[in-house]
Amino acid sequence: MEYRRAAIPALVGGLLITALLWWAGASTQALRLPGAVDVLGGRAAAELDHWLLPWSYDPPASVRIGAETFGVGEDRATIDNSRYLSLYTTAMQIRFVAVFLFFVPGALLLVRRLPPVNGRVPATLLAVWAWGLVAGTLAVTVSAPWLVAAQGRGSYRFLPQLAGMASGGRQILVPIALVAAVAVVLAARVTAKGAGPLPRVAVPVVAARLAATVGTAVVAVSLVVLSYQPVAAAIQTSFVGSGLFAEPGDLLRQWLLLGSWAGPAGTPVGDWFLYRVADALVLAVVWWSLRWLPVLLTRATVPAMAAGAVCATVIGLLVSQLAQMALNDSGMRWGLVQLFAGFGGGVPAALTFGLVAGAAAAVALRVASGRAAAGGAEAPGVTGTDGDSGGAAAAGAPASDRGPGPAAP
């Protein structure tokens, strides 16, 4: 799809996700009214307020207290406390602008390379949804330094504060990003009319499988190796540093670890195994997504494969977290709001390892496809499906004689 056709859905989604997040942040005052507390309950209202606060222009208590505490200089002369509040306002302005700026390029790339036609609608919807979570997380991260400074304690454990603030606001991103993704897909289906044929290309099966395996292995490094608790503890404590950038452990864990697991000591083996199966769902989703991504893309470029791998990792995390919620019985005791408190986590690490996994998968795909083309690959290696070699292959036609027609779904 041309850039001009893909730009309209991307802009629609960017404006919508920004407006919805602003509206959600403006709703924090309503959650503090007595009527909302009576309807939702004190615990649920407080939890929802915590979810929405990272998107609210209303300064939290920590910022107001910081302005009051640090509003007196060494000579006891009063300093304008509004400076700290203005820093908070600046941070929120950066946050909302960053959401738009991060969402639009990613959605533009996905819609252009993964247009919602010819059976791609579910894949496009899931990819744009996942990218909305990535864009919101990046926006929260880049604006966090201003929020740290607004509290008047920017020089005290800066990196741990940055890590704590960068992980906020993810729960509300999940439904809002889904709404924006639906709008993007609907708009893209309209703009795709008259764009010409956008078929699903034929990809060597062996090459697609190899690319998926390589990309999944990269993700497994974080999920299996780095997320093992002794290794995670070493990552958090090995880098001490000094001065402003001391104690980077929390930040490193946030951007490197997709999960957390340990041996079954002290817990029933059956329960431990079920939670490990939930973790394995991440790898299963990533492998299956990378297996079909080259078939669905109009062109398997490195940026498209990298963005697709990031989205696949995020979707895998969401599936795993839903499975863990189903295994967790605390929702019956504390309610659904508390049950979904951890939903949407792990996006920074998904971005880190998804980019590497996608780039590695793209390189493996090109190398394997080149070898298949040079060696005159047999029929089962040139279609978009695992078990169907196509009519041309059955007739014994060489791969070069078969055009990039749509693969069987």
Side-chain angles (χ1 to χ4, degrees):
M1 183 185 292
E2 299 89 348
Y3 278 112
R4 60 185 179 83
R5 294 181 181 272
I8 296 175
L11 290 172
V12 169
L15 292 173
L16 183 60
I17 192 173
T18 305
L20 288 177
L21 287 172
W22 180 87
W23 172 77
S27 303
T28 54
Q29 292 290 344
L31 290 173
R32 298 165 190 169
L33 297 175
V37 176
D38 294 338
V39 172
L40 300 174
R43 182 186 293 271
E47 190 71 22
L48 287 174
D49 182 73
H50 178 70
W51 293 2
L52 297 177
L53 193 58
W55 304 101
S56 174
Y57 268 88
D58 186 28
S62 58
V63 175
R64 292 193 295 268
I65 294 174
E68 296 172 359
T69 303
F70 296 92
V72 179
E74 295 180 356
D75 57 353
R76 312 306 295 174
T78 302
I79 301 176
D80 185 8
N81 295 353
S82 63
R83 295 179 182 178
Y84 292 96
L85 300 179
S86 65
L87 274 174
Y88 182 85
T89 303
T90 302
M92 298 310 300
Q93 292 171 349
I94 294 173
R95 180 163 297 183
F96 283 105
V97 171
V99 168
F100 180 82
L101 295 180
F102 281 123
F103 182 87
V104 171
L108 176 63
L109 175 63
L110 291 172
V111 172
R112 184 169 183 261
R113 294 299 181 193
L114 194 63
V117 295
N118 295 337
R120 298 187 182 96
V121 174
T124 308
L125 178 63
L126 292 175
V128 178
W129 180 27
W131 185 255
L133 299 181
V134 174
T137 302
L138 289 175
V140 171
T141 302
V142 299
S143 60
W146 282 266
L147 290 179
V148 173
Q151 294 185 354
R153 295 181 285 110
S155 61
Y156 174 71
R157 304 186 75 236
F158 174 75
L159 292 182
Q161 290 187 78
L162 184 63
M165 291 187 177
S167 62
R170 64 182 185 275
Q171 297 90 349
I172 199 62
L173 269 173
V174 176
I176 288 180
L178 179 58
V179 174
V182 172
V184 169
V185 169
L186 293 177
R189 287 186 64 83
V190 174
T191 58
K193 293 180 179 179
L198 295 170
R200 293 170 56 178
V201 300
V203 176
V205 173
V206 175
R209 288 176 175 173
L210 177 62
T213 303
V214 171
T216 305
V218 174
V219 175
V221 170
S222 173
L223 187 66
V224 178
V225 179
L226 299 184
S227 296
Y228 184 49
Q229 287 187 1
V231 179
I235 293 175
Q236 185 162 8
T237 58
S238 296
F239 305 94
V240 186
S242 61
L244 183 64
F245 298 102
E247 304 179 57
D250 292 337
L251 199 61
L252 288 174
R253 290 190 63 173
Q254 187 178 76
W255 287 88
L256 296 179
L257 272 61
L258 283 168
S260 176
W261 68 279
T267 59
V269 178
D271 294 344
W272 179 87
F273 181 75
L274 287 176
Y275 277 98
R276 301 292 72 77
V277 171
D279 291 337
L281 286 175
V282 178
L283 299 181
V285 170
V286 170
W287 190 91
W288 191 254
S289 300
L290 292 179
R291 162 64 185 87
W292 286 102
L293 188 60
V295 180
L296 297 174
L297 292 172
T298 57
R299 185 182 175 191
T301 61
V302 174
M305 288 291 293
V310 170
C311 297
T313 309
V314 173
I315 295 298
L317 285 175
L318 294 179
V319 171
S320 175
Q321 290 162 6
L322 285 175
Q324 292 178 1
M325 291 177 194
L327 299 173
N328 192 351
D329 59 350
S330 63
M332 300 300 295
R333 298 195 306 265
W334 304 110
L336 292 177
V337 175
Q338 284 72 30
L339 184 63
F340 280 87
F343 198 47
V347 175
L351 177 62
T352 301
F353 284 90
L355 290 174
V356 180
V363 172
L365 181 67
R366 289 188 178 183
V367 172
S369 299
R371 289 180 179 177
E378 292 294 331
V382 292
T383 61
T385 60
D386 289 343
D388 184 13
S389 59
S400 59
D401 293 340
R402 293 190 299 274

